[in-house]
Amino acid sequence: TPPKNTWMRFAPMRHRKGKETMISYEAARTAILRQCSTVGTVREDLLNSLSHVAAEDVVAPRNLPAFDNSAMDGFAVRFVDVQAAPELSVIGILHAGVEGGTELQMGSAVRIMTGAPVPVLCDAVIPFEDVDDADDIIRIKQGVTLRFGQHIRHAAEDVRQGDTVIACGTLLGVAQICM
């Protein structure tokens, strides 16, 4: 006779009128979980928490992104200005990591880098490769279609402050740790 290991008690077979049938997944799972115990909770450094299970909900402390920003390098513009005039004057440059608050003037554009806050009144970003740029004057290339709101990531577009970003009981993988 085989040794009486724990797994033998849960062998997934039942006899029914001479036929062997597989027990259901849920029945097998329930039988196995009855034999398990929890180990309690531990506080673990985030970078060491891979494959742990969240003991409580994790709630977003702030919006993500925190402010409207450029999704790519290009020129921040007002959509109506591009529709009204063939050329726009470039009046400055915005890098990622700088404070927001720049206001876009009528008929102008601002060079903007990925992640930089978009200027007040800006409602589109045109990629560098879609314009001809000479002497701080830009002109959209033939065949390029500009859409209202293009290439702008809006504040709280990914996560709103107060949203549950990881639910209690979630197995922590790379995606959850990066959150």
Side-chain angles (χ1 to χ4, degrees):
T1 64
K4 293 190 176 192
N5 293 329
T6 304
W7 66 270
M8 293 297 289
R9 285 187 268 151
F10 304 114
M13 297 290 185
R14 285 191 209 162
H15 296 301
R16 196 178 291 161
K17 294 184 184 175
K19 292 185 178 180
E20 291 184 356
T21 58
M22 195 68 97
I23 65 171
S24 72
Y25 166 80
E26 279 304 317
R29 183 178 184 274
T30 300
I32 291 167
L33 289 177
R34 268 193 231 123
Q35 299 298 311
C36 297
S37 61
T38 59
V39 294
T41 57
V42 295
R43 195 163 280 289
E44 185 64 73
D45 180 64
L46 180 64
L47 297 179
N48 293 326
S49 63
L50 185 64
S51 298
H52 286 66
V53 176
E56 59 187 35
D57 288 347
V58 176
V59 177
R62 61 180 100 29
N63 291 334
L64 184 64
F67 50 85
D68 291 354
N69 67 82
S70 179
M72 64 185 323
D73 295 348
F75 293 94
V77 298
R78 293 179 352 142
F79 186 78
V80 294
D81 290 344
V82 174
Q83 301 301 310
E87 296 179 341
L88 298 174
S89 301
V90 179
I91 59 168
I93 186 167
L94 290 170
H95 297 281
V98 299
E99 291 290 323
T102 304
E103 188 169 329
L104 199 57
Q105 300 167 6
M106 207 164 90
S108 65
V110 174
R111 273 185 187 81
I112 192 164
M113 303 303 141
T114 303
V118 295
V120 176
L121 302 178
C122 168
D123 48 29
V125 173
I126 306 170
F128 287 140
E129 58 270 19
D130 289 347
V131 301
D132 291 319
D133 179 13
D135 298 323
D136 288 334
I137 301 291
I138 62 167
R139 178 182 291 247
I140 297 178
K141 292 180 180 177
Q142 284 286 82
V144 171
T145 304
L146 178 67
R147 292 180 332 276
F148 183 86
Q150 79 176 19
H151 306 303
I152 295 176
R153 291 187 296 237
H154 297 284
E157 186 174 298
D158 297 328
V159 176
R160 289 199 173 284
Q161 182 178 356
D163 283 355
T164 298
V165 292
I166 300 173
C168 177
T170 301
L171 179 65
L172 300 178
V174 174
Q176 291 77 24
I177 291 171
C178 290
M179 178 54 73

